[in-house]
Amino acid sequence: MIASLSINERQVGLMLTIGVAILGLIMLGAAKEGPMAVHGAMALALGIVLAFSLVGSLFDPDAPGGRAARYYDEPTRFGLMLTLIWGVVAMSVGVWVAALLYWPEATPLWPATSFGRLRPVHTTGVIFGFGGNALIATSLHVLQRTSRARLADSVSPWFVLIGYNLFCAWAVTGYLMGSTQSKEYAEAEWYADIWLVVVWVAYLVLYLRTLARRNEPHIYVANWYYLAFILVVAMLHIVNNIALPVSFAGARSFPVWSGVQDAMVQWWYGHNAVAFFLTAGFLGMLYYFLPVRAERPIWSYRLSIVSFWGIVFFYVWVGSHHLHYTALPYWVQTLGMTFSVMLLVPSWASAGNAIATLNGAWHKVRDDATLRFMFVAAVFYGLSTFEGSFLAIRPVNSLSHYTDWTVGHVHSGTLGWVAMIIFGAIYTLVPQLSGRTTMAWPKAIEWHFWLSIAGTLIYVVSMWNAGITQGLMWRTYDANGGLAYSFLESVMAMAPYYLLRTIGGALFLTGTVLCALNVRATMLATPVGAGASDRPLLTQPAE
Amino acid sequence: MLRLHYNLERISMGLVAGIIVAASIGGLVEIAPLFTIDETVEVPADLRPHTPLELAGREIYIREGCYACHSQMIRSLADEIDRYGHYSLASESAYDHPMLWGSKRTGPDLARVGEKYSDVWHAAHLVNPRAVVPASIMPAYPWLAATPLDISTLSAQLATLARLGVPYSPERIANAAADALAQARPDGAGGAGFVARYGDRVAVRPFGGDPARLTEMDAVIAYLQSLGRLTTAPYVPQ
């Protein structure tokens, strides 16, 4: 990766890595012990390793000439590798914590491997590690292709990717050490949050600067979604994470929000993390890779406009459906419910637009597992958004809330939609980035597809059963007007479903491992000379 | 309309502004009023903040991720009220930075678990849930009883919370560490000072069972026993 940088850029990179090392040193020196010190040491080590490799290459040959006329895909390649590493690790942790609910004794009695600490490792690892890296990596690729311009500069994509992964690594190692804000999907502590803001601003600036260089008058729809993802996630992240550290020399902080306001801010964040991280960003991915792979233009331009603004506007209102029947004022709950139902319109418009795009390419869906991944993703997107609107209706929510139905719903979205579209994008991109026409093991894609489908269905169906059973057992009264079941009886009734869910998750994980190995084999089998994943700007069809 | 958008797509800053505006409205309408309306800002006169020991227990509750399996928010539904007690009031978590309402009940709601079980039961349950509830799938936390409680940062924590509006007076802040010890040592020195600072409704006893050592177990049990008992508002007819 360093060879693609000019000498000047290597010098800038060197300054940045030294900066990271100094930051790490300051954190280490200030905290001396505890999570912040460990995180300081991690930054220090990262900075030193990168600085040494950059120093070593200062006198190597300069970057190949004529770069400006080529796309810059090395960061994308690197980002996809990180995506798969996080995917395998975080899904393994997921399967492991799922197993712990069936075999609670299976865990060694160390604090770091306790369920409550591993659970955010799984969620952060899959959402931010797996999903986030996939979004950043593909966005950089899509941005260049749809703008017919090279990235605005060559250093900031590396800063964004490496900095972002430092954030993820700080977050998950923090949880293992017991450092957490306890806000779901925003557990990382204050200094990691500030660091993420820095990285995110660099990402936004890179995006806008590249857009400014575009050779296409129009900004393609995929970029609207990626932009919405970058902008709104920044907004959510900052507001939800405002906190006062107990000391600047330690990890612990207290959020400024408390009680009911904190709950509302948290679920405004939480649901919009779903909206703008797990939906808008991935719709950007869908709007580029599905038409490219199917070789058909997007079915309706008009529909894509309506659904885009519908999603951006409606989603922000719906977070309060996480707080039905709670101490949150009733009118806020009602607003959340109403907008959740209305949200179905733009959501189905997007899903429908994607599926209609496949008209005339159904034979490809049948024959090409990669395109099938994307088709299934669109279908699951449609199904989960329907389910989401349904679960947001107050009386339905009275049954489903707090149960495993929610967990099932989330996974039909994340496994069925998010992960499937990522796999579709990966299988489209990786051969191209490796100068090949196919993956190294084309048959393995087919296997992966069916493992994913089976895993997702087993997972989701078992969680539906679990959730509905729980909900009904909790609210059933006996003939004497007393509650019919103790809580413990509802726990015992879960055992078969928890076992099934673990099996479903394990199947899905197996598929992901297969994908990672396939990608590795493909990248290693890059033909010599094709090494430069840069491609001339003009021969690429711009979407 | 389409024409307008056609032009908007050519200006990246226009898109940026549009996205920010469209995505801000919902949040503003739903969140901003919560800081002003009585329903969400009124605090009962007798609401007390957590004692230093309970606060330390709360930190451990957060650290161990208990909130991933336990909610602390009883909804206003008949079966929940029958099972867990009076539905939760907004004011009950007014001093909670962050709130711990939770989102999943793998285990039961804990909003009113305070004084439902004895300290001994909790201690045995946390060390090994299956020793007391054979079918339980809750993880075991044997290290709580073995780890001495770190009380060195309690004053700083109270001071931070005081800056956020939690009623910790300068005396409460200055005596935080001593108060944590005093609450778990009924016969120890600081007892009178502790009662003077936090009132006589607060439980003072060796929660973890051993008055000679202050462990994380003391803190967690003190915290659990305080849940639902920070104000009498839900229990007295208005």
Side-chain angles (χ1 to χ4, degrees):
Chain A
M1 61 205 224
I2 296 176
S4 69
L5 298 177
S6 71
I7 301 294
N8 195 352
E9 288 160 353
R10 287 174 214 175
Q11 285 162 351
V12 177
L14 186 60
M15 309 282 273
L16 283 172
T17 51
I18 292 174
V20 170
I22 292 175
L23 176 74
L25 198 62
I26 293 174
M27 286 167 62
L28 182 60
K32 295 196 185 61
E33 53 175 15
M36 189 169 166
V38 175
H39 289 161
M42 283 165 63
L44 180 63
L46 176 73
I48 291 178
V49 169
L50 290 176
F52 267 102
S53 37
L54 280 164
V55 167
S57 67
L58 277 184
F59 303 101
D60 288 353
D62 206 340
R67 281 194 317 172
R70 292 163 159 266
Y71 294 128
Y72 192 35
D73 280 336
E74 294 228 340
T76 301
R77 210 176 135 98
F78 178 67
L80 291 181
M81 293 193 303
L82 288 167
T83 303
L84 286 165
I85 293 171
W86 277 106
V88 169
V89 172
M91 287 182 201
S92 307
V93 176
V95 174
W96 175 243
V97 291
L100 287 184
L101 292 182
Y102 187 74
W103 292 287
E105 314 269 13
T107 184
L109 289 176
W110 303 322
T113 54
S114 179
F115 178 93
R117 297 196 189 191
L118 287 180
R119 189 254 186 190
V121 172
H122 165 64
T123 54
T124 303
V126 286
I127 299 173
F128 295 99
F130 176 63
N133 274 302
L135 285 172
I136 298 176
T138 57
S139 74
L140 298 180
H141 175 90
V142 173
L143 171 65
Q144 299 181 81
R145 297 311 186 285
T146 55
S147 308
R148 283 199 292 128
R150 182 183 168 90
L151 289 178
D153 76 301
S154 306
V155 176
S156 52
W158 296 109
F159 176 74
V160 171
L161 273 168
I162 295 172
Y164 180 74
N165 282 279
L166 179 63
F167 164 80
C168 296
W170 274 354
V172 299
T173 51
Y175 312 151
L176 296 178
M177 293 181 279
S179 167
T180 166
Q181 297 191 113
S182 85
K183 285 178 152 263
E184 281 182 82
Y185 321 115
E187 292 93 344
E189 272 295 356
W190 62 275
Y191 51 87
D193 290 335
I194 296 176
W195 175 248
L196 184 62
V197 173
V198 174
V199 170
W200 216 246
V201 169
Y203 184 25
L204 176 65
V205 170
L206 171 67
Y207 216 90
L208 291 177
R209 281 175 62 216
T210 308
L211 275 182
R213 293 158 52 114
R214 70 185 182 278
N215 293 309
E216 283 281 321
H218 284 271
I219 300 175
Y220 179 65
V221 45
N223 290 314
W224 316 345
Y225 281 100
Y226 281 123
L227 261 182
F229 148 66
I230 300 172
L231 287 166
V232 185
V233 166
M235 182 166 110
L236 300 166
H237 173 75
I238 292 172
V239 175
N240 190 38
N241 283 302
I242 300 178
L244 205 57
V246 172
S247 139
F248 287 106
R252 190 67 195 123
S253 69
F254 291 105
V256 297
W257 318 119
S258 71
V260 58
Q261 293 89 356
D262 186 38
M264 186 58 226
V265 171
Q266 160 61 27
W267 289 110
W268 166 80
Y269 165 89
H271 203 84
N272 287 302
V274 176
F276 290 88
F277 212 98
L278 297 179
T279 305
F282 290 98
L283 282 173
M285 206 182 270
L286 178 83
Y287 270 111
Y288 179 79
F289 288 101
L290 181 100
V292 162
R293 188 77 188 186
E295 299 176 301
R296 315 256 324 153
I298 271 290
W299 182 64
S300 164
Y301 165 72
R302 206 178 283 229
L303 204 55
S304 67
I305 296 178
V306 174
S307 47
F308 175 74
W309 291 107
I311 282 173
V312 172
F313 180 71
F314 286 171
Y315 245 121
V316 192
W317 296 78
V318 308
S320 52
H321 72 223
H322 288 251
L323 301 168
H324 279 324
Y325 302 98
T326 67
L328 183 76
Y330 198 72
W331 62 268
V332 190
Q333 304 175 18
T334 308
L335 273 178
M337 168 170 86
T338 313
F339 276 87
S340 304
V341 174
M342 295 197 295
L343 187 59
L344 191 59
V345 175
S347 301
W348 272 27
S350 301
N353 208 355
I355 292 170
T357 300
L358 293 171
N359 258 340
W362 290 109
H363 59 286
K364 290 188 189 157
V365 177
R366 187 192 57 209
D367 299 336
D368 176 10
T370 305
L371 190 57
R372 218 179 308 129
F373 263 117
M374 301 194 217
F375 164 66
V376 168
V379 170
F380 266 103
Y381 174 63
L383 292 177
S384 343
T385 47
F386 174 76
E387 188 185 26
S389 297
F390 180 63
L391 292 177
I393 299 172
R394 207 183 262 115
V396 182
N397 195 269
S398 76
L399 180 88
S400 72
H401 192 55
Y402 292 135
T403 73
D404 280 297
W405 192 348
T406 313
V407 180
H409 168 59
V410 170
H411 283 83
S412 96
T414 48
L415 302 179
W417 152 235
V418 171
M420 300 271 188
I421 189 69
I422 292 181
F423 294 136
I426 284 181
Y427 287 130
T428 309
L429 256 180
V430 169
Q432 191 187 332
L433 296 181
S434 312
R436 301 167 50 97
T437 50
T438 59
M439 293 292 291
W441 311 329
K443 283 236 168 58
I445 307 178
E446 198 67 49
W447 275 92
H448 180 193
F449 177 81
W450 290 109
L451 280 168
S452 304
I453 293 286
T456 307
L457 288 178
I458 294 175
Y459 192 114
V460 173
V461 172
S462 59
M463 288 296 96
W464 279 340
N465 280 301
I468 294 171
T469 308
Q470 268 166 341
L472 291 176
M473 286 179 86
W474 293 345
R475 62 161 56 171
T476 304
Y477 284 87
D478 60 20
N480 306 323
L483 290 166
Y485 301 99
S486 70
F487 190 90
L488 195 66
E489 284 171 302
S490 78
V491 174
M492 290 156 74
M494 290 305 106
Y497 306 120
Y498 285 170
L499 179 62
L500 268 177
R501 179 254 296 269
T502 310
I503 295 172
L507 289 177
F508 199 92
L509 170 67
T510 312
T512 309
V513 172
L514 204 59
C515 174
L517 295 175
N518 200 352
V519 166
R520 184 169 178 273
T522 312
M523 287 189 173
L524 289 178
T526 304
V528 254
S533 45
D534 281 343
R535 234 150 283 285
L537 281 177
L538 294 174
T539 56
Q540 200 71 25
E543 236 0 274
Chain B
M1 205 53 205
L2 212 57
R3 187 86 240 145
L4 186 80
H5 203 272
Y6 192 76
N7 292 327
L8 184 64
E9 283 161 34
R10 314 172 102 169
I11 322 164
S12 55
M13 282 307 164
L15 274 176
V16 168
I19 291 168
I20 292 178
V21 170
S24 299
I25 299 171
L28 283 175
V29 173
E30 290 186 352
I31 298 172
L34 300 183
F35 291 92
T36 56
I37 53 181
D38 291 349
E39 190 182 350
T40 48
V41 296
E42 249 175 26
V43 171
D46 70 343
L47 178 68
R48 70 168 177 88
H50 286 294
T51 65
L53 186 63
E54 293 160 3
L55 185 71
R58 191 171 197 271
E59 296 292 290
I60 297 165
Y61 184 93
I62 290 175
R63 180 187 82 193
E64 300 301 343
C66 311
Y67 62 86
C69 290
H70 291 289
S71 59
Q72 291 186 22
M73 173 44 66
I74 303 167
R75 297 179 294 170
S76 51
L77 297 168
D79 60 292
E80 298 217 349
I81 295 168
D82 286 345
R83 189 180 296 276
Y84 301 116
H86 194 290
Y87 59 83
S88 299
L89 306 178
S91 56
E92 286 180 277
S93 47
Y95 297 145
D96 285 1
H97 296 263
M99 56 84 208
L100 292 173
W101 293 10
S103 61
K104 178 67 175 55
R105 282 185 189 149
T106 304
D109 188 278
L110 298 181
R112 305 209 183 283
V113 82
E115 305 297 346
K116 177 179 168 194
Y117 299 98
S118 67
D119 296 343
V120 177
W121 186 90
H122 279 300
H125 185 246
L126 286 165
V127 167
N128 180 11
R130 277 152 295 285
V132 270
V133 184
S136 178
I137 58 167
M138 174 162 142
Y141 296 92
W143 56 88
L144 295 180
T147 316
L149 185 68
D150 175 12
I151 53 175
S152 63
T153 61
L154 280 176
S155 278
Q157 293 190 24
L158 261 61
T160 312
L161 286 168
R163 288 174 63 193
L164 295 174
V166 182
Y168 288 122
S169 61
E171 302 84 73
R172 282 177 168 174
I173 294 172
N175 292 293
D179 283 345
L181 280 167
Q183 196 184 353
R185 284 182 190 163
D187 311 321
F194 175 77
V195 173
R197 277 184 288 277
Y198 291 93
D200 51 11
R201 253 176 44 222
V202 182
V204 177
R205 50 180 200 250
F207 296 92
D210 181 0
R213 292 171 66 237
L214 188 67
T215 63
E216 294 191 335
M217 186 63 94
D218 290 293
V220 173
I221 297 177
Y223 171 64
L224 291 172
Q225 298 291 31
S226 79
L227 289 175
R229 304 177 62 83
L230 299 180
T231 166
T232 55
Y235 314 107
V236 291
Q238 298 295 320

